[in-house]
Amino acid sequence: MRISCSPSGKPTPDKPSGRTGRPRSAAADAAILAATRDALVELGWSKLTMGDVSARAGVAKTTLYRRWAGKNELVVDAVAELFDALELPDRGSLEADIEDVVLQFAALLHRPEAKTALMAVVAESTRDQALRDRIRSAIVERQKHLVVLGRRRAQARGELPPEEDAAVTAHTTDLIFDVIAGTVVHRALVSAEPVDELWVATFTQLLMYGLKGAAQ
C-alpha cells in the first residue's frame, strides 16, 4: 500500500498500483487488519498464518493475497492502522501538544494487540531487510507528520523560530521523532514502566529544553 499526503498533511493511503479488478472494500480491509491483530495476540508471530487471518475475518485466503503478498506485509499494515489513530490536538502550546500525543502513544502501546504486534514485527525485522523497509515506510514515515505539524504550530505561535534550510528541517524532524518514539517505546515495552502524567510532564520538559536550546 503506498501512502501520500492530503492537503492537510495527514498521510492517506493511495490505491494499490498495478492491480485491477473490483475496488477494495474498506470494511473488508478493516476486518482483516483487526483479525490479524487478534490472531497475533492469541497465536504469536511464529504460529500466525494467512489462513488463520482469513478464517477470523470471514474472507477467502485469496482475498488476502490480492491485498498483501504475505504475512510480513499484512502484520505491518495491521500495526500501522493502530498508529494512524494518533492525533495532535492543538492545546495552545508546544509543551501541551507534546504531552497530549505522548499520552496517546503510551495508551496505544498498552493495548495487547499493539504491544504484541509491534514487538513481533520489530523482532522479525532484524532478520528481514524488506520488512524493516516496510516498517519505515508504513509506520515511521507516516507518523512523522505529527512532528511536522507540532513544529509548524510552534513556529506560528512564536515558540520556535522558522527554518530556512529544508535539509536541517528534515534532520531535526527525524531526531525529534526518534527521541519521542524511542523513549516511549523503551519505557513502555522494554522497561515495562508506567508512562503516566508525571513521567510525561518530566520527559516533555526535558525535550522542550533541548528544542529551545537548539533553536538559540
Side-chain angles (χ1 to χ4, degrees):
M1 183 186 297
R2 295 189 301 108
I3 303 299
S4 62
C5 286
S6 68
S8 65
K10 182 86 171 181
T12 55
D14 290 340
K15 294 179 181 178
S17 59
R19 297 184 181 182
T20 59
R22 291 180 299 175
R24 288 175 61 154
S25 163
D29 282 359
I32 291 167
L33 296 177
T36 302
R37 294 188 293 267
D38 289 344
L40 264 175
V41 172
E42 183 177 331
L43 303 173
W45 175 276
S46 62
K47 294 182 179 179
L48 176 69
T49 68
M50 298 291 269
D52 294 318
V53 175
S54 66
R56 288 169 183 263
V59 300
K61 194 186 299 186
T62 53
T63 300
L64 297 186
Y65 283 109
R66 282 198 297 268
R67 290 161 162 79
W68 295 275
K71 181 171 76 171
N72 289 1
E73 293 84 355
L74 174 58
V75 173
V76 171
D77 283 2
V79 177
E81 185 182 56
L82 292 176
F83 284 97
D84 284 344
L86 294 174
E87 295 181 344
L88 188 66
D90 190 343
R91 300 300 187 191
S93 71
L94 178 58
E95 185 171 352
D97 289 353
I98 293 172
E99 289 182 357
D100 189 292
V101 78
V102 169
L103 285 169
Q104 285 183 59
F105 186 30
L108 174 60
L109 293 177
H110 188 67
R111 292 167 55 177
E113 66 272 28
K115 183 187 309 184
T116 303
L118 181 61
M119 295 295 274
V121 295
V122 169
E124 189 65 20
S125 72
T126 62
R127 300 184 292 272
D128 188 333
Q129 179 62 49
L131 181 56
R132 280 201 299 275
D133 292 342
R134 191 171 182 89
I135 292 171
R136 186 178 300 112
S137 63
I139 299 176
V140 175
E141 294 301 327
R142 273 159 67 166
Q143 294 310 313
K144 284 181 183 176
H145 78 96
L146 297 171
V147 176
V148 173
L149 177 59
R151 296 184 72 219
R152 189 180 298 155
R153 285 178 181 167
Q155 289 165 350
R157 298 185 193 112
E159 296 173 287
L160 295 176
E163 292 176 343
E164 302 295 335
D165 191 323
V168 171
T169 297
H171 175 75
T172 305
T173 297
D174 288 348
L175 181 59
I176 294 170
F177 181 89
D178 290 346
V179 168
I180 294 175
T183 303
V184 177
V185 168
H186 187 278
R187 174 79 177 180
L189 301 186
V190 179
S191 297
E193 296 288 344
V195 184
D196 53 24
E197 291 187 0
L198 176 60
W199 184 90
V200 171
T202 305
F203 168 67
T204 302
Q205 288 172 11
L206 183 62
L207 183 61
M208 289 294 296
Y209 180 81
L211 288 171
K212 290 183 177 180
Q216 292 174 353

